[in-house]
Amino acid sequence: MKLIGKTVWTSLLLVGIAVVQNGGSESEVLRLHVAEAAAKSAPASDYANHPAKDAILHGLQKGYLWKYPDGKFHPEQTVTQSQFVASLVAIRQVSEKESVPALAAGHWAKDIYERAQKAGILANVPVNPNKLLTKEEAALLVFNAWKPFRGEKMKGYTNTGALVTWGWMEPAPKGQAKFREDLPVTRGDAAKILRYLWQDKWQLELGTKWRNEFEQSLKILNGKVIGKVPKGDTQFTIRVSFVTSDDGRRGFLNGESFQVEVNSVKTTFVLSIRNNLDSTDAGIVYYDIPTLKREIKNKQFSL
């Protein structure tokens, strides 16, 4: 509910986008917003059998995707830049703004684009709210949005190639070049990509919570590293690993306490938080001995 509350303005904006793009006046936005909200409870007639159904439902429920004023999602329509940017801003929960000179004062998309600009989402992106996105253009927006979480994209790849390799964008249909950058991104395609982002942010936030919990227990006392691995939950394996002086390993899992002789281990140990459902990481942190200074090494796009 917190996320949905913070993105009501984004829902209103997207309905406005749909109105303007379909020839309506901006004065109709508020009325259509009410109609759009009611339409969310209507049968999913136009995506009930779509391959992206689950991703679309997830986005609608979490508040980073929206239907058109006619109550439909239109999953086969090509996503516009403004729609995709609005979803990224909603997932990132951006509230601060930075000027976007390319949009005049009073422009219907100015608020969302100013938030995107502040978050770095528009880096090297020509501002064009009505533009229909290709895979390469959507992938660039993703890498811009996720740079604070996963770092730079893999070198030697186009944005499309890197995102396909990472697993967050589907390759081109069989018989075509795998990394075709020019293909359009439908709203259904976008829903799948955006679900990966929402889930990744969610798990990284959980990882941060458990890392903080772990660090509250962590200390060096009487020549021993002492701490307790957070219990977490069944979806995540949380492990603290030490490499011993003889190149062996000692590991401790969810909920376990430990006391390890400082002189018996090498100069760092690792806290790892891994999602059991898809093997993605929710946090990888290295700690120095004896300072306990941390270095966060979450898996990067560049690896």
Side-chain angles (χ1 to χ4, degrees):
M1 290 299 295
K2 181 179 179 183
L3 175 59
I4 294 173
K6 283 190 175 184
T7 58
V8 166
W9 57 269
T10 310
S11 181
L12 180 59
L13 171 68
L14 193 67
V15 177
I17 291 170
V19 172
V20 174
Q21 289 176 343
N22 286 281
S25 68
E26 294 180 70
S27 64
E28 298 177 72
V29 171
L30 185 58
R31 177 180 62 80
L32 290 173
H33 174 59
V34 175
E36 190 266 354
K40 281 189 177 182
S41 61
S45 58
D46 71 331
Y47 63 89
N49 298 313
H50 195 277
K53 174 187 175 183
D54 291 344
I56 294 169
L57 284 172
H58 185 273
L60 293 173
Q61 290 166 359
K62 299 300 181 182
Y64 61 83
L65 289 178
W66 308 270
K67 295 179 182 178
Y68 277 84
D70 63 2
K72 296 181 180 181
F73 187 78
H74 298 285
E76 294 302 331
Q77 285 190 10
T78 302
V79 71
T80 66
Q81 185 186 88
S82 54
Q83 290 168 348
F84 201 69
V85 168
S87 292
L88 292 172
V89 167
I91 293 172
R92 284 281 305 271
Q93 296 184 311
V94 184
S95 58
E96 296 182 0
K97 301 179 185 180
E98 184 177 323
S99 176
V100 180
L103 296 179
H107 191 282
W108 54 266
K110 193 168 183 64
D111 184 80
I112 191 75
Y113 274 76
E114 287 182 342
R115 296 170 194 263
Q117 179 78 358
K118 181 64 177 179
I121 295 170
L122 300 180
N124 300 312
V125 175
V127 172
N128 186 350
N130 294 319
K131 181 173 178 52
L132 302 178
L133 292 184
T134 65
K135 296 180 77 168
E136 183 69 5
E137 292 161 344
L140 173 59
L141 288 165
V142 168
F143 283 119
N144 285 347
W146 238 241
K147 186 175 180 179
F149 306 114
R150 295 294 184 183
E152 301 281 357
K153 75 175 179 69
M154 290 177 286
K155 293 179 174 61
Y157 287 81
T158 62
N159 295 301
T160 302
L163 202 60
V164 170
T165 301
W166 183 257
W168 285 8
M169 178 179 277
E170 294 183 359
K174 189 174 180 180
Q176 301 183 35
K178 182 178 180 180
F179 298 153
R180 274 195 63 185
E181 298 91 354
D182 61 316
L183 292 177
V185 177
T186 68
R187 283 170 54 81
D189 296 332
K192 292 181 180 180
I193 295 168
L194 292 163
R195 180 169 61 170
Y196 282 118
L197 271 65
W198 188 95
Q199 291 176 334
D200 195 47
K201 185 170 183 288
W202 165 75
Q203 70 180 10
L204 287 171
E205 288 173 344
L206 271 182
T208 298
K209 171 188 170 184
W210 290 328
R211 184 196 74 210
N212 291 337
E213 180 183 330
F214 171 66
E215 291 176 355
Q216 289 176 6
S217 75
L218 187 62
K219 57 187 174 182
I220 292 182
L221 184 65
N222 298 326
K224 296 179 179 179
V225 184
I226 299 172
K228 183 175 181 180
V229 184
K231 185 177 180 180
D233 62 38
T234 56
Q235 185 174 333
F236 293 87
T237 296
I238 307 178
R239 183 189 305 271
V240 174
S241 303
F242 294 85
V243 178
T244 61
S245 300
D246 59 358
D247 291 328
R249 290 185 178 274
R250 294 191 65 183
F252 304 87
L253 296 173
N254 304 56
E256 295 182 342
S257 298
F258 59 85
Q259 295 189 31
V260 177
E261 295 283 349
V262 171
N263 293 336
S264 70
V265 297
K266 293 192 174 180
T267 56
T268 60
F269 62 97
V270 181
L271 168 71
S272 65
I273 306 169
R274 188 164 298 279
N275 191 324
N276 298 325
L277 299 182
D278 57 15
S279 297
T280 56
D281 75 90
I284 301 174
V285 189
Y286 283 68
Y287 294 90
D288 177 69
I289 297 176
T291 66
L292 299 183
K293 181 180 179 181
R294 70 166 181 245
E295 183 179 1
I296 297 173
K297 293 188 176 182
N298 297 344
K299 189 174 181 181
Q300 302 288 298
F301 279 126
S302 58
L303 297 180

